[in-house]
Every structure is written in structure tokens, then in C-alpha cells.
Amino acid sequence: MSPADAAAATSTSQWTTSIYFSVAASVIGAASKLCIRKSYTVLELESLNSTGEPPTGRIPCLTYLQAFVLRGIGVLGMTTLNPLFCVKSLTYASPSILAPFSGLTLVFIVACSEHTIGEKPSTSQVVAAALIVLGQIIIALCGDHTNIGDLSIDDVREAYLEPEFISYLIGMFGWIVLLVGLINYGDGTERRFSWGVIGGSVTGVQPFPKDALAVISGLQHENVPLEEYPPGLFFLLFLASAMPLIGLALLMQCMRRFDASFSASMFVGSMIISVSVMSAVRYDTFGHVDSILNGIFYTLGLCVLTSGCVVLACEGTATSDPTRINVEEKSNIFRRTSSEVTYGTVQLSDDQATDSAASSITSEYIV
């Protein structure tokens, strides 16, 4: 095998490994969210009698224990295992081809919900899942299969000071400012849309994990001791952790105001678009695809995948669960008003509404 062929084989092997880790992360994410959903459904079954009204007796301790264990497994998967697999996948491939795999989490939830939590997906949800899978296949086949090598902290600094990347950061800052403005001063539709995409948009500003991993790889190959790692690397690691946490906080705020299926689907779709734009600027996605035709199909795959997320978001908006707590509140990012919450036929006070709303945040498909 020639050196060129060996390099191509190694690149293919790394790309395949990254796909394995990304799919595993999606499976873990879906299983975690189904566990959290199940933890609420077991309590709902105990807490509602045949008329749909709150019970007069106490919920058995074993039911609480079952819900606690399921919720613990879900939290462990979302906060530890899923991020670990995602970060590991970044070692082998570009974010432009890995980020869309987060959409598979929604697919696995739709596929497994009937058998795990007894919630049969609707026809539109199945169609949305099919669109996500189709878009993901197109992206995987036609996307950027290259990977950056070892970097120094100076390489990263120079890349971040390039006019294209600075323009990207300015554009993203303007986009976030626009969304915040619409949240506070827009009409109902504009606020709903802005809350749906702001978390994913922030999370997608993520060149930092990939670049930090490349810097660490270079330092390890040069046998640099940990105490001599440059301070800039730790700043990269801080940003790599901070941006997803900010995005998650915004997602939680969105889910406090709107349907959880809508919030999750819009978050995933906006994050994929945000990461794809970032990768096109930072890692030159379209310069690394094999041909112009592949670039066109890659863009088409993004559109198909995103359309699946939008269908799921619309499905979440259109459907209603009679046992779900409905919270009506002003969608202002700085101020909140009192809410009136109904559960079955029982009217709750503001304090009770707050507790009930907190327990219902993850009562649907969440990401």
C-alpha cells in the first residue's frame, strides 16, 4: 500500500470511528431522555385516577423509588456519558459532519417511545424521523471527511484573528442580539421562534472543543508536561464548557414557556445550522468536500434534516396532552408574570403552579 493509500485508509478509519461514537452518543441521549420521561409517567399513572383528577391517597414509596432511579439514570446519561462520547467523536472528524448526528436522538426517541413509555408516535412524527435520517445519510456521504491535525495555541490564536472568523463572531453576536430583542419586544410568533432557536444558536458557537483537543494532542506528541500547558488552552477548555451550558440554560428557559417537543426540536435544528455555519468558516467545510456536487448535496442534506426538526416542532405545537400542565406566561427574557395553571379540573395557586411547572419540564421528548 502506497503512503497516499495508507493515509486515505487511516482517514476513513478515523471517520468511521467518529460515526460510531456519534451514533452511540445519540443512543445514550435518547435512552436518557426516555428514562426521564418514564420517571414522570410512572408518577402520572399513580397520581391520576380514572377521572383524570389528582388522587386523595399517597403515592407508594416504591413508585417514588422507581421514578428516582429512572431519573438518576437519565441525568447520568445526559450530563456524563453523552458528552463524553460527543467529545471523543470530535477527536476523529469535523464538527460539520458530527453535529447533525444529534438529530438522531429525536429519531431514536420517536422509534422507541411506544415500546418504552407507551406513547405511540403520530404519522407526522414518523415522517419527521424519516426526513432526519435521510438528511443525515446525505450529510454523512457528501460532507467533509477531513480532520485537522495537531495545533499549537499560537495556531489557534492566528485562526481566531482571521477576518473571516472575526466576521463570523460579529454576525453571531448580532444574531443573538436580534433574538433577544424579538423575545422582549416581538409579537407572539416572533417570541416563540426566538426562544426556540436562541439556545441552539449559542451552543453551535463551538470551535473551542475541537481546537482544544487538537492543541492537547500536539502537546502530548511533544511530551509536554501538564504543568507547562499554555494558559490559553485552559481558556479554550473554559469556553468549550461554558457555551453548551449557556445554551442548555436557554433551552430550559424555553421549555418553561413552551411545549417541550417544540423546544427540543427547534434547539436541535438551530444547533445543527449554527455548528454548520461555524464549521464552514473555521474549518472550511466546502473547501474540503470532494466536489461541487457533494457541496450541493451536503447543503441539501442539512435542509432535509432541518425540515424534519421543524415538522417535529410543529407537531409539538399542534398536539396537546390532557394530563399535561399548561403554563401561560409572558415570554420575556428579563421579566416574568404570574401564571394560572390548570391540572385536570383543579385550579392551582401561583406557588403550586411553580412547583407543578418545574416537574413538567421534561414530561415530553426533550434533548
Side-chain angles (χ1 to χ4, degrees):
M1 181 182 294
S2 67
D5 292 336
T10 302
S11 177
T12 301
S13 175
Q14 290 181 339
W15 177 76
T16 304
T17 303
S18 71
I19 299 300
Y20 290 153
F21 277 109
S22 296
V23 173
S26 298
V27 172
I28 292 172
S32 301
K33 293 159 185 62
L34 287 171
C35 283
I36 291 178
R37 172 57 175 157
K38 185 69 173 179
S39 73
Y40 283 100
T41 58
V42 295
L43 293 178
E44 288 173 0
L45 291 176
E46 290 287 346
S47 63
L48 293 177
N49 59 27
S50 59
T51 62
E53 297 179 352
T56 56
R58 299 182 61 182
I59 297 177
C61 292
L62 286 178
T63 302
Y64 273 119
L65 178 61
Q66 181 185 3
F68 177 80
V69 172
L70 286 170
R71 204 167 303 170
I73 294 173
V75 171
L76 175 65
M78 287 198 301
T79 60
T80 305
L81 298 179
N82 178 269
L84 284 176
F85 276 79
C86 289
V87 170
K88 185 65 176 178
S89 68
L90 284 173
T91 307
Y92 302 102
S94 169
S96 66
I97 204 169
L98 297 179
F101 277 93
S102 59
L104 293 182
T105 300
L106 299 173
V107 174
F108 289 130
I109 290 176
V110 170
C112 301
S113 60
E114 182 177 6
H115 301 289
T116 55
I117 57 178
E119 297 178 355
K120 185 176 181 179
S122 65
T123 302
S124 61
Q125 288 175 328
V126 174
V127 171
L131 288 173
I132 292 174
V133 172
L134 176 60
Q136 183 58 68
I137 291 174
I138 296 174
I139 292 171
L141 293 176
C142 302
D144 178 11
H145 295 172
T146 63
N147 189 27
I148 61 173
D150 296 344
L151 296 175
S152 68
I153 198 67
D154 291 332
D155 294 331
V156 175
R157 186 181 298 111
E158 290 177 6
Y160 289 177
L161 291 176
E162 291 182 355
E164 295 85 355
F165 191 76
I166 293 177
S167 299
Y168 159 75
L169 291 179
I170 294 174
M172 284 303 302
F173 178 77
W175 171 245
I176 299 302
V177 169
L178 174 62
L179 293 178
V180 172
L182 290 176
I183 285 172
N184 286 278
Y185 304 109
D187 59 28
T189 301
E190 292 170 343
R191 288 198 301 269
R192 186 180 184 87
F193 170 80
S194 300
W195 269 119
V197 302
I198 190 171
S201 298
V202 171
T203 304
V205 185
Q206 277 293 292
F208 313 116
K210 181 68 174 175
D211 291 339
L213 290 172
V215 172
I216 292 173
S217 177
L219 293 172
Q220 289 177 341
H221 288 160
E222 295 175 3
N223 297 318
V224 177
L226 179 61
E227 57 271 16
E228 295 182 13
Y229 278 17
L233 172 60
F234 297 100
F235 183 63
L236 275 181
L237 293 173
F238 168 75
L239 291 176
S241 302
M243 299 304 288
L245 289 176
I246 295 173
L248 178 60
L250 291 169
L251 170 63
M252 292 175 65
Q253 290 299 314
C254 178
M255 295 179 70
R256 292 179 66 180
R257 292 162 170 82
F258 302 108
D259 179 85
S261 294
F262 165 83
S263 303
S265 302
M266 292 294 285
F267 176 86
V268 171
S270 59
M271 184 194 69
I272 290 172
I273 296 300
S274 182
V275 171
S276 299
V277 173
M278 180 277 297
S279 297
V281 176
R282 173 66 182 93
Y283 304 113
D284 192 18
T285 300
F286 292 96
H288 291 147
V289 294
D290 293 337
S291 64
I292 295 177
L293 185 61
N294 274 15
I296 295 174
F297 274 104
Y298 168 76
T299 305
L300 175 63
L302 284 175
C303 294
V304 172
L305 193 155
T306 306
S307 67
C309 294
V310 171
V311 171
L312 281 178
C314 294
E315 173 71 11
T317 302
T319 58
S320 61
D321 182 355
T323 66
R324 187 178 187 273
I325 301 170
N326 301 305
V327 181
E328 298 292 337
E329 63 181 351
K330 188 175 181 180
S331 302
N332 190 295
I333 199 169
F334 299 118
R335 302 183 302 275
R336 294 183 60 198
T337 58
S338 298
S339 305
E340 182 179 88
V341 180
T342 59
Y343 188 90
T345 60
V346 179
Q347 214 46 36
L348 303 182
S349 67
D350 284 349
D351 291 340
Q352 292 172 316
T354 301
D355 295 338
S356 299
S359 68
S360 70
I361 287 176
T362 51
S363 65
E364 296 185 22
Y365 303 151
I366 62 173
V367 171

